[in-house]
Amino acid sequence: MITTLPKVELHLHIEGTLEPELIMQLAERNGIRLPYADLDDLRRQYEFTDLQSFLNLYYANLDVLVTEQDFSDLTRAYLKRAQAAGVRHAEIFMDPQAHTSRGIALATCVNGVSQALADSVTEFGISTSLIVTFLRDRPAAEALEVLTELISLDAPIIGIGLDSAEVGHPPIDFVEVFALARAHGLECVAHAGEEGPPEYVWQALDLLKVSRIDHGIRSLEDDALVDYLVQNEIPLTVCPFSNVRLRVVDRLEDHPLPAMLARGLLVTINSDDPAYFGSYLDDNFRGLQQTFGLDAPAMAALSRNAVQAAFLADAERAPLLAEIEAWLAEQL
Ligand code: ADE
Ligand code: ZN
């Protein structure tokens, strides 16, 4: 049973969990006029040709998120669905600049999301942490300002990441931001090698000194990079259905996941923006099982990889690993 496999989600944008129904409800609650005739009209917008076409809709829909309550309702709705998917630990991305740039206070989005996360263990049996992601298609100086404010607010974040439109926005532009984060003991991750070249993965590793790569599937184009990632056990947070829906690959059958596993990469499976791609974490695992015939030990191995890749203490990993072994014993 895929839903009962204990799972760890390491690449999940909380804004990407905003379901069409919640968009309509929040628009009504906040008196916001949407550019869609109705729910069906909104749903018809979810056909993407590339990353940018998706980002256009993703950013536009954020207008309905205004109050702390909106952000905590969004987060609770994700946690409820994640619980049903078998998620036991989630490291959640939030894009502060997607909100501050439209006049929402930094404290509003941070407090709203973190209030919901504070109750995630008791309400949903999911341990959580928050990673703020900076928008690489906005100026690095703005990211530096936001990070400085987050640090002065003592925001409950464990790390930073880098996302949004990749091509033309290399990691090298964000060296100062990541240096400041590291100086404050924050974990560092970055989207790289989703649409961008292997060179961006190298930059994220060498210049930003990230400990995980988000996506990274184009790493396969560079043998030396693959060797480096394998030797250093750098985790890749791969998002199979995202890659299909954003046309990074044509069909799930064409996804390089089997090749990545064969090369010995530390691959984890993630949902990225499940409300936009129609697939939460269980759906991603199920799709891989059906398409590539992954058996129970292979699925357990993917879950174990995510436990290893998580920003957790060994004492926190142990019970998750034990749950995965118990699940596997039941399947055999
Ligand atoms: N922001 C939300 N989802 C993203 C993705 N898949 N790539 C880059 N930025 C994102
Ligand atoms: Zn992402």
Side-chain angles (χ1 to χ4, degrees):
M1 270 285 287
I2 284 170
T3 49
T4 56
L5 168 65
K7 301 175 191 69
V8 168
E9 177 130 79
L10 302 176
H11 183 159
L12 180 281
H13 302 263
I14 198 64
E15 294 89 348
T17 71
L18 182 56
E19 289 283 351
E21 291 82 359
L22 188 56
I23 292 172
M24 301 308 267
Q25 282 169 26
L26 293 178
E28 169 102 28
R29 182 157 100 187
N30 292 321
I32 288 165
R33 187 188 290 271
L34 292 171
Y36 317 112
D38 53 26
L39 187 58
D40 284 340
D41 187 24
L42 170 56
R43 285 189 200 284
R44 280 194 286 273
Q45 316 299 315
Y46 288 56
E47 282 294 331
F48 311 115
T49 51
D50 57 10
L51 173 59
Q52 188 63 57
S53 66
F54 151 71
L55 290 171
N56 293 342
L57 182 68
Y58 168 94
Y59 291 128
N61 286 341
L62 297 183
D63 280 349
V64 301
L65 293 169
V66 180
T67 65
E68 274 188 27
Q69 184 73 51
D70 299 338
F71 284 92
S72 72
D73 287 353
L74 168 71
T75 307
R76 280 208 170 77
Y78 161 68
L79 291 168
K80 186 164 181 234
R81 178 63 184 81
Q83 180 184 39
V87 174
R88 300 283 292 105
H89 175 70
E91 298 181 358
I92 294 173
F93 296 152
M94 185 188 57
D95 286 328
Q97 293 156 288
H99 312 298
T100 55
S101 63
R102 55 188 180 87
I104 305 295
L106 186 59
T108 301
C109 53
V110 172
N111 292 346
V113 171
S114 43
Q115 271 163 22
L117 296 186
D119 298 330
S120 65
V121 173
T122 49
E123 276 191 52
F124 303 102
I126 303 176
S127 56
T128 53
S129 49
L130 183 59
I131 295 174
V132 291
T133 33
F134 294 108
L135 306 186
R136 65 201 312 155
D137 49 355
R138 295 185 68 87
E142 183 183 286
L144 203 53
E145 252 173 56
V146 173
L147 179 57
T148 304
E149 193 180 344
L150 285 161
I151 292 167
S152 71
L153 288 172
D154 202 16
I157 58 174
I158 64 150
I160 72 163
L162 189 65
D163 63 357
S164 202
E166 186 182 6
V167 175
H169 302 286
I172 193 172
D173 295 348
F174 292 84
V175 166
E176 216 184 321
V177 179
F178 279 71
L180 179 65
R182 290 199 313 278
H184 283 83
L186 293 167
E187 306 286 359
C188 294
V189 300
H191 284 52
E194 179 186 19
E195 284 190 346
E199 168 61 18
Y200 286 16
V201 180
W202 280 120
Q203 285 188 14
L205 296 165
D206 291 343
L207 305 179
L208 307 187
K209 304 188 190 309
V210 301
S211 48
R212 287 199 306 241
I213 295 287
D214 296 313
H215 293 294
I217 68 169
R218 289 196 57 195
S219 303
L220 284 180
E221 296 168 26
D222 180 338
D223 281 341
L225 176 57
V226 173
D227 289 346
Y228 181 91
L229 293 167
V230 170
Q231 273 159 24
N232 292 282
E233 296 188 48
I234 308 285
L236 303 181
T237 63
V238 174
C239 308
F241 273 112
S242 164
N243 296 149
V244 175
R245 293 294 307 278
L246 301 187
R247 310 303 308 271
V248 175
V249 298
D250 286 337
R251 306 168 308 159
L252 200 53
E253 287 82 342
D254 304 315
H255 198 280
L257 180 96
M260 298 176 91
L261 293 174
R263 295 290 300 268
L265 288 162
L266 184 57
V267 171
T268 70
I269 303 303
N270 304 273
S271 66
D272 207 4
D273 302 285
Y276 287 86
F277 307 143
S279 39
Y280 282 80
L281 193 52
D282 50 340
D283 304 313
N284 275 270
F285 271 92
R286 196 172 298 107
L288 294 175
Q289 184 194 37
Q290 289 168 356
T291 305
F292 297 117
L294 298 186
D295 57 10
M299 313 267 273
L302 286 169
S303 227
R304 257 188 243 115
N305 283 356
V307 174
Q308 180 180 340
F311 296 127
L312 288 172
D314 285 345
E316 295 166 316
R317 286 185 227 281
L320 291 170
L321 291 171
E323 281 185 38
I324 295 168
E325 294 328 302
W327 176 86
L328 186 55
E330 271 174 31
Q331 311 304 308
L332 301 176

